[in-house]
Amino acid sequence: MDLTPNSFTLMRFTEWDNPETGHLEWLIRKDGCMHCADPGCLKACPSPGAIVQYSNGIVDFIHDNCIGCGYCIKGCPFNIPRISKVDHKAYKCTLCSDRVAVGQGPACQKACPTQAIVFGTKEEMKGWADFRIKDLKSRGFEHAGLYDPPGVGGTHVMYVLHHADRPSLYAGLPDNPSISAVVQVWKGVTKYLGMALMGASAVAGLVHYAVIGGNRVTEEDEENAERLRSRRVSGGEDARA
Amino acid sequence: MSAVEKVGSRGTAQSGDTVTDDFPIRVRRYGGLVRLNHWVTAVSLALLAISGMALFTPKLFFLTALFGGGQMTRMIHPWIGLVLVVSFFLLFVRFWRANLPTIADGVWLKKIIDVVSNRDETLPELGKYNAGQKFVFWSMSALIMVLVSTGVVIWDQYFSGFVSIELQRFAVLIHASVAVFAICVWIIHVYAAFWVKGTFGAMTKGVVTGGWAWRHHRLWLKQLVEQREAKDVASALPASADPSIPHSRSQA
Ligand code: HEM
Ligand code: SF4
Ligand code: SF4
């Protein structure tokens, strides 16, 4: 099972033998877009307006502007966007931006019967998480904590983890996600240096032409060439003999 | 040892290169097929540069309008790349031998200041190409190889399932950087054709003047004149037809 252009979220499930307690633990998390504060997808996207970040923190793909290049896939540290083979546009969880815009919670939160998913402002959610973390700690999960990774400026989808010291236990949740250094170089220095180099080549040509000017064939060159032929054709003194 | 062999060892003339019977002398440098091949290469590289830059940064995204929008640009760029590769490969097969480095190239490069100052008198006699042209040839060959191999890796529509995302990140970085160099080489190449007057005719009409060949590729011109003479002599005077003709002439 994986995310697809049509399924924006799914539950990832890991069975883990806790060596400290000897207990078998079920580690479950809801995979999908984390709505990063510093979104790698947005950094990589070449199409203005194909990825937008609203003031409420939601990162949304505007499909009318998407060209299907797949750069967002390379930019995302969480392996989230998927490109449709049908319309060649990128898809991911929108955090139900349309519902949120009219004051409702996202559909997943609405559907969840046990309040495993809650929705609110980031401050409210951090408060709620503290309460859950205290509860977990009181039940012996001393490393319980909030997953709000600073490498991407924090996220607007957060997890309360029993083992916040080891996020990768949870079906490979990145321990310390950040936008790949390769992507940073690609979208940073390469872009500026590249534009500068190409501009410099063009300017070098213009300056050279203005200062030195064209290299013109002279009458003398033409005569020399003609003489070369005449000498050969007239025979007699053979230069190569 | 015949004249043609002797000259062949220091010249770089390619089949089809000849001096004409015009007055003043003119030189056929490229045949029709080679020129067509070159222009397919040139047009596809120009289209690749423009469509590539359109995807390089959001600031240049407006260039996608030239290709009928972003989706079209994204779709068509790799296909033009394939056209370029095939087309450049044909050019490569045709040109590589004449682009092998020679001793004179080293001398020419040492006098690069004279070259860019139009002081051609001090430069050594050269075959069909100078070291600058050879640089364009070999660097384009290498850059295009890298561009096509990294380009396939980031061809999301068909190959995304076969390569890890981490590899795609490296490939896209290399593709973008190498494209910058290819575009710079290309700018230099086009500028050189404009700077050195009389060069454009080589790629439009296929013909240059004798004076151009004398000035820039004298060894090549001499070789062609010799070849022409050897041919004229051979057709006018079949070798064993008339024993009274001095042997040394056709042997020259
Ligand atoms: C549209 C712009 C271009 C123009 C105006 C242009 C012009 C020319 C001219 C005038 C020549 C003849 C030079 C000579 O015979 O000494 C030439 C040769 C050549 N061109 Fe271009 N060209 C262009 C684009 C390209 C591109 C895009 C490529 C390849 C990527 C390319 C590759 C070559 C090669 C390999 C030669 C043979 C010379 C050598 O081996 O160094 N050209 N070009
Ligand atoms: S696939 Fe669409 S959203 Fe993703 S980077 Fe390309 S244009 Fe942007
Ligand atoms: S998780 Fe990936 S797709 Fe979602 S906002 Fe972050 S970088 Fe973008």
Side-chain angles (χ1 to χ4, degrees):
Chain A
M1 280 295 279
D2 195 8
L3 300 171
T4 74
N6 301 314
S7 45
F8 303 162
T9 187
L10 55 79
M11 307 312 289
R12 297 214 183 263
F13 171 71
T14 309
E15 265 182 356
W16 186 58
D17 266 317
N18 188 332
E20 278 163 37
T21 62
H23 290 164
L24 181 74
E25 294 182 19
W26 287 355
L27 306 181
I28 304 172
R29 76 177 163 101
K30 174 182 171 301
D31 195 13
C33 177
M34 301 297 285
H35 297 272
C36 311
D38 179 16
C41 57
L42 177 56
K43 182 166 194 107
C45 179
S47 177
I51 302 180
V52 293
Q53 188 176 29
Y54 300 120
S55 52
N56 63 14
I58 293 180
V59 177
D60 210 357
F61 286 10
I62 309 299
H63 300 114
D64 280 350
N65 297 328
C66 173
I67 67 170
C69 60
Y71 289 1
C72 48
I73 297 174
K74 298 162 189 55
C76 175
F78 295 97
N79 183 15
I80 299 300
R82 297 289 184 271
I83 305 238
S84 161
K85 292 281 175 208
V86 180
D87 66 3
H88 306 292
K89 287 164 192 273
Y91 290 91
K92 70 164 189 67
C93 155
T94 66
L95 212 68
C96 295
S97 54
D98 47 348
R99 291 174 55 93
V100 172
V102 296
Q104 294 187 289
C108 55
Q109 175 256 341
K110 176 113 196 206
C112 176
T114 63
Q115 288 212 333
I117 303 171
V118 287
F119 178 78
T121 67
K122 185 147 179 171
E123 281 321 304
E124 280 166 21
M125 290 304 100
K126 279 181 161 169
W128 178 263
D130 278 345
F131 166 73
R132 296 285 302 122
I133 290 163
K134 280 202 195 83
D135 178 50
L136 283 171
K137 285 194 168 156
S138 74
R139 285 156 48 196
F141 294 103
E142 52 174 322
H143 296 297
L146 184 66
Y147 187 78
D148 180 22
V152 292
T155 52
H156 291 275
V157 167
M158 300 179 290
Y159 296 124
V160 172
L161 304 179
H162 327 63
H163 309 286
D165 56 331
R166 299 165 73 186
S168 52
L169 286 179
Y170 295 78
L173 183 64
D175 284 328
N176 192 8
S178 64
I179 302 176
S180 156
V182 181
V183 172
Q184 309 258 24
V185 172
W186 166 42
K187 286 287 155 177
V189 63
T190 310
K191 218 162 67 173
Y192 299 110
L193 214 67
M195 300 295 279
L197 268 176
M198 292 188 289
S201 308
V203 169
L206 287 175
V207 170
H208 180 262
Y209 202 75
V211 176
I212 309 278
N215 185 327
R216 291 190 170 74
V217 177
T218 61
E219 257 323 296
E220 201 188 331
D221 290 327
E222 299 291 356
E223 282 159 17
N224 278 328
E226 192 54 47
R227 210 169 299 134
L228 189 66
R229 174 166 70 175
S230 323
R231 190 178 66 215
R232 305 285 191 209
V233 172
S234 65
E237 18 57 288
D238 192 318
R240 285 159 285 113
Chain B
M1 187 200 252
S2 81
V4 176
E5 269 168 22
K6 198 167 87 194
V7 173
S9 62
R10 62 179 164 91
T12 44
Q14 304 203 275
S15 63
D17 296 354
T18 53
V19 291
T20 67
D21 294 327
D22 298 306
F23 184 85
I25 185 170
R26 280 147 54 86
V27 192
R28 212 177 92 106
R29 192 163 163 88
Y30 297 108
L33 277 180
V34 186
R35 275 177 285 145
L36 178 69
N37 192 175
H38 172 264
W39 287 116
V40 171
T41 308
V43 168
S44 47
L45 199 120
L47 292 177
L48 282 161
I50 298 168
S51 56
M53 288 199 306
L55 304 183
F56 186 46
T57 144
K59 290 198 185 64
L60 294 176
F61 188 78
F62 68 91
L63 292 171
T64 55
L66 298 171
F67 299 87
Q71 283 271 347
M72 276 299 285
T73 308
R74 185 264 308 153
M75 199 266 294
I76 209 163
H77 177 91
W79 288 106
I80 306 175
L82 292 191
V83 173
L84 175 76
V85 166
V86 174
S87 174
F88 189 83
F89 177 76
L90 296 175
L91 275 188
F92 183 91
V93 169
R94 169 92 195 164
F95 288 149
W96 74 270
R97 203 178 285 278
N99 280 281
L100 294 175
T102 63
I103 306 277
D105 291 333
V107 180
W108 188 90
L109 279 174
K110 283 208 194 85
K111 304 194 168 195
I112 194 72
I113 298 291
D114 287 346
V115 172
V116 297
S117 312
N118 295 343
R119 283 196 292 273
D120 297 64
E121 322 76 66
T122 70
L123 304 176
E125 297 191 357
L126 297 174
K128 187 167 183 177
Y129 297 115
N130 63 38
Q133 293 167 308
K134 290 175 185 178
F135 165 79
V136 169
F137 178 82
W138 291 110
S139 53
M140 271 299 179
S141 306
L143 294 171
I144 288 174
M145 284 302 294
V146 177
L147 283 169
V148 66
S149 37
T150 52
V152 167
V153 171
I154 54 172
W155 198 346
D156 197 87
Q157 187 168 354
Y158 302 111
F159 301 103
S160 57
F162 301 98
V163 247
S164 73
I165 294 174
E166 191 56 15
L167 195 66
Q168 292 178 32
R169 289 183 181 131
F170 280 102
V172 77
L173 172 62
I174 295 170
H175 193 79
S177 324
V178 167
V180 165
F181 289 115
I183 291 172
C184 290
V185 171
W186 177 60
I187 292 173
I188 294 169
H189 173 68
V190 176
Y191 173 69
F194 174 72
W195 161 45
V196 181
K197 300 299 171 195
T199 308
F200 244 87
M203 273 305 160
T204 51
K205 301 185 290 285
V207 176
V208 292
T209 68
W212 184 91
W214 171 271
R215 186 178 179 85
H216 302 298
H217 303 281
R218 196 168 305 166
L219 227 45
W220 176 68
L221 177 67
K222 286 182 175 171
Q223 184 191 4
L224 294 180
V225 171
E226 282 168 9
Q227 274 180 2
R228 181 58 191 259
E229 180 193 76
K231 207 173 115 214
D232 286 350
V233 169
S235 56
L237 311 159
S240 56
D242 188 345
S244 72
I245 300 294
H247 209 68
S248 64
R249 187 103 195 285
S250 60
Q251 279 257 296

